[in-house]
């Protein structure tokens, strides 16, 4: 487990540079989850470290495989200085712990909800899990382990989350693209959904 996390942190540093801050959160009955903060000009990126220590297991499986299965970490990018986004550390750790706590497999297209604002006064309480590979490349591990995927998180307003449940992730992403939505704006309003 430690070896996997050391490789994951090295991949994050290669892709995003040196973290300027880190915090750790431990929930009862779970492994420790860290959140690393990286500054890139006017963009701040938060990446989880710890979610990939063990493979995610489908709750329908009778027995969890300790080696094989999907592994992931979460990455959130927002514009710096517009909101108190550093308060997203605990909600991000909650999302990263959800495979251990709730037995969910986090994959592209999924919605994850934290039940409250992602940071103080945020118009978002949920995120859309986007496709990996753009910002941080997948990390290949020795067979038979699956690679670690670095999944971008796109904050959604409650209206967008409800619309996504009906129309799907692809439709919501196309709507954002059509309207030129700045998904890194921590104060943005909901995209037009008519």
């Amino acid at each position: 487990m430690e070896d996997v996390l050391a490789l994951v942190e090295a991949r994050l540093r290669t892709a995003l540079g040196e973290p300027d801050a880190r915090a750790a959160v431990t929930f009862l009955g779970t492994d420790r989850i860290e959140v690393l903060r990286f500054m890139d000009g006017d963009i701040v990126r938060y990446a989880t470290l710890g979610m990939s220590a063990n493979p995610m297991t489908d709750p329908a499986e009778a027995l969890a495989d300790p080696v094989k299965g999907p592994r992931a970490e979460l990455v959130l990018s927002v514009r710096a200085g517009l909101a108190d986004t550093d308060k997203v550390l605990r909600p991000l750790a909650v999302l990263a712990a959800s495979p251990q706590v709730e037995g969910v497999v986090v994959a592209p297209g999924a919605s994850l909800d934290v039940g409250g604002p992602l940071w103080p006064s945020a118009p978002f309480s949920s995120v859309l899990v986007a496709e990996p590979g753009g910002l941080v490349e997948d990390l290949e591990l020795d067979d038979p382990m699956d690679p670690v995927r670095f999944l971008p998180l796109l904050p959604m307003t409650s209206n967008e989350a409800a619309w996504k449940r009906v129309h799907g992730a692809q439709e919501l992403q196309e709507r954002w693209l059509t309207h030129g939505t700045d998904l890194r704006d921590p104060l943005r309003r909901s995209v037009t959904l008519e």
Side-chain angles (χ1 to χ4, degrees):
M1 176 176 109
E2 295 302 321
D3 291 344
V4 169
L5 295 184
L7 292 170
V8 167
E9 184 167 355
R11 175 57 55 92
L12 286 168
R13 288 172 184 268
T14 299
L16 305 175
E18 287 298 312
D20 73 336
R22 65 193 307 146
V25 180
T26 305
F27 302 101
L28 188 63
T30 67
D31 294 326
R32 176 174 136 139
I33 301 288
E34 288 189 83
V35 180
L36 283 58
R37 183 180 72 186
F38 301 86
M39 294 301 296
D40 182 13
D42 71 335
I43 302 295
V44 60
R45 300 185 199 286
Y46 302 94
T48 63
L49 179 63
M51 182 178 171
S52 62
N54 298 297
M56 293 181 276
T57 305
D58 186 325
E61 295 292 320
L63 191 60
D65 189 317
V67 178
K68 294 176 74 174
R71 294 175 188 257
E73 295 291 353
L74 308 174
V75 181
L76 174 69
S77 301
V78 292
R79 295 207 180 283
L82 301 177
D84 190 8
T85 57
D86 280 351
K87 296 287 195 310
V88 78
L89 301 179
R90 186 168 178 78
L92 267 183
V94 167
L95 296 178
S98 63
Q100 290 181 62
V101 175
E102 299 171 25
V104 298
V105 175
V106 178
S111 299
L112 303 174
D113 196 301
V114 296
L118 288 174
W119 50 82
S121 302
F124 321 105
S125 63
S126 61
V127 293
L128 174 65
V129 181
E131 290 292 333
L135 189 60
V136 184
E137 288 183 30
D138 291 355
L139 173 64
E140 296 296 328
L141 300 174
D142 294 336
D143 278 340
M145 293 188 284
D146 289 18
V148 177
R149 303 172 86 199
F150 297 88
L151 302 171
L153 300 180
L154 308 174
M156 293 188 294
T157 65
S158 56
N159 286 345
E160 290 168 340
W163 200 85
K164 182 253 175 195
R165 281 192 292 277
V166 174
H167 299 281
Q170 186 64 40
E171 290 290 324
L172 178 58
Q173 288 178 305
E174 286 177 18
R175 173 107 8 199
W176 282 335
L177 192 59
T178 301
H179 290 275
T181 305
D182 180 1
L183 296 174
R184 294 176 177 168
D185 180 352
L187 304 172
R188 74 172 180 84
R189 296 177 179 268
S190 185
V191 70
T192 305
L193 299 170
E194 286 118 28

